[in-house]
Amino acid sequence: IFSGMNEAIIVTLADGSIRRINRATTELLGYTEDELIGLPVDQIVDTSKSATLIDDSVSGVPREAFFESKFGESIPVSYTCSIVEDEGQESTVRVYAAQNITERRRAEQRIRYLARIDALTKVPNRMQFQHLLQRCIARARRSAKPLCLFYIDIDAFKEINDTCGHATGDAVLHLVASALRRQLRSYDVVARYGGEEFALVLPDTSQEAAHEVMRRLLAAPFVTEFVSDGAEQQVGAVAAGHAGE
């Protein structure tokens, strides 16, 4: 039963040295059983990211740590620690049961990413834009420097969806977002505000500079030909306005 468990099981003595492990542990860490027996349990802990396990308090509540494999890979795990009486040795041992949570961590990161970034255009969504805008306003007030705010709308976008299909509409949104990012500075904010609307925040930008940015955006080569569903399509220009502070 011990060897066949899916969780990585690590049994340690009172001094923290490893006494037994199961097959899941060898598969997780890449070590053989002989290589780990007798070593301190912290030998498998990525101590740059996790605290020691030797003095870990006993708890049935799962905790998280990072193990380090034989090959130097840092592996996030969820584990529990229990004390078991060893009748044969008349002592107690600690039993760690750990699960690899790499995929869960990736899923959580993906969820956090999608909560802030528009999945289609790969620019901040409306919620993240509002957060970034507040930060930019606060920074502008502290530094007494102006900022520029643009709202941009794609003309006749409903007609594009109705006549060419939503796949073409999605392609248009992606192309416009990419074109906007190319035209602006790395620290400017480009966000999808909703539907076919985009919002831009340009820190340290005066009204005169804002007018110049607007002229540049309107004159930019937004017209792009591409093929959608076997037919050649063309992305037209966008119309922009601005507000300065």
Side-chain angles (χ1 to χ4, degrees):
I1 296 176
F2 180 79
S3 298
M5 294 182 69
N6 293 327
E7 291 182 310
I9 306 297
I10 303 165
V11 180
T12 68
L13 300 175
D15 63 358
S17 61
I18 297 174
R19 178 181 176 186
R20 291 184 64 189
I21 63 172
N22 66 347
R23 183 176 60 191
T25 304
T26 64
E27 293 173 352
L28 176 67
L29 300 175
Y31 289 100
T32 65
E33 184 173 3
D34 290 340
E35 288 175 319
L36 287 180
I37 298 302
L39 292 179
V41 68
D42 282 348
Q43 188 78 22
I44 64 170
V45 176
D46 185 345
T47 53
S48 67
K49 299 180 179 179
S50 300
T52 177
L53 295 185
I54 293 178
D55 298 325
D56 206 6
S57 60
V58 177
S59 173
V61 178
R63 303 178 182 181
E64 293 186 4
F66 284 86
F67 285 178
E68 185 171 329
S69 75
K70 180 179 180 178
F71 312 105
E73 179 187 6
S74 187
I75 305 170
V77 298
S78 174
Y79 74 95
T80 57
C81 175
S82 306
I83 284 185
V84 178
E85 297 292 334
D86 189 338
E87 297 179 0
Q89 299 293 326
E90 296 184 352
S91 63
T92 59
V93 297
R94 287 175 180 260
V95 179
Y96 298 90
Q99 291 182 324
N100 187 342
I101 58 171
T102 299
E103 291 304 319
R104 192 184 84 187
R105 283 286 185 93
R106 288 174 180 165
E108 290 172 349
Q109 290 174 354
R110 179 65 176 168
I111 291 171
R112 287 194 294 269
Y113 174 83
L114 292 176
R116 299 179 295 105
I117 303 298
D118 178 61
L120 176 62
T121 59
K122 304 300 187 294
V123 298
N125 58 21
R126 183 172 184 155
M127 181 178 70
Q128 179 68 358
F129 168 76
Q130 291 172 339
H131 172 69
L132 295 173
L133 176 60
Q134 292 303 317
R135 288 176 55 184
C136 288
I137 291 174
R139 191 179 300 115
R141 286 173 175 165
R142 287 196 303 269
S143 62
K145 293 182 179 179
L147 64 80
C148 172
L149 174 63
F150 283 90
Y151 285 99
I152 296 178
D153 181 78
I154 302 176
D155 289 337
F157 186 72
K158 185 177 184 302
E159 295 179 16
I160 295 174
N161 274 332
D162 292 343
T163 59
C164 302
H166 288 282
T168 299
D170 289 348
V172 169
L173 292 170
H174 179 74
L175 288 170
V176 170
S178 298
L180 289 171
R181 283 183 296 186
R182 286 195 303 270
Q183 290 296 320
L184 300 177
R185 299 166 298 188
S186 60
Y187 55 86
D188 293 332
V189 176
V190 178
R192 185 182 178 192
Y193 198 69
E196 70 274 24
E197 297 176 343
F198 291 85
L200 317 178
V201 181
L202 281 62
D204 303 336
T205 303
S206 66
Q207 284 197 3
E208 291 182 359
H211 283 289
E212 179 58 35
V213 171
M214 183 175 65
R215 285 191 290 269
R216 189 172 75 247
L217 289 175
L218 290 172
F222 280 105
V223 177
T224 306
E225 295 182 353
F226 65 100
V227 175
S228 176
D229 294 332
E232 187 175 279
Q233 309 290 346
Q234 192 176 75
V235 181
V238 300
H242 89 286
E245 181 179 309

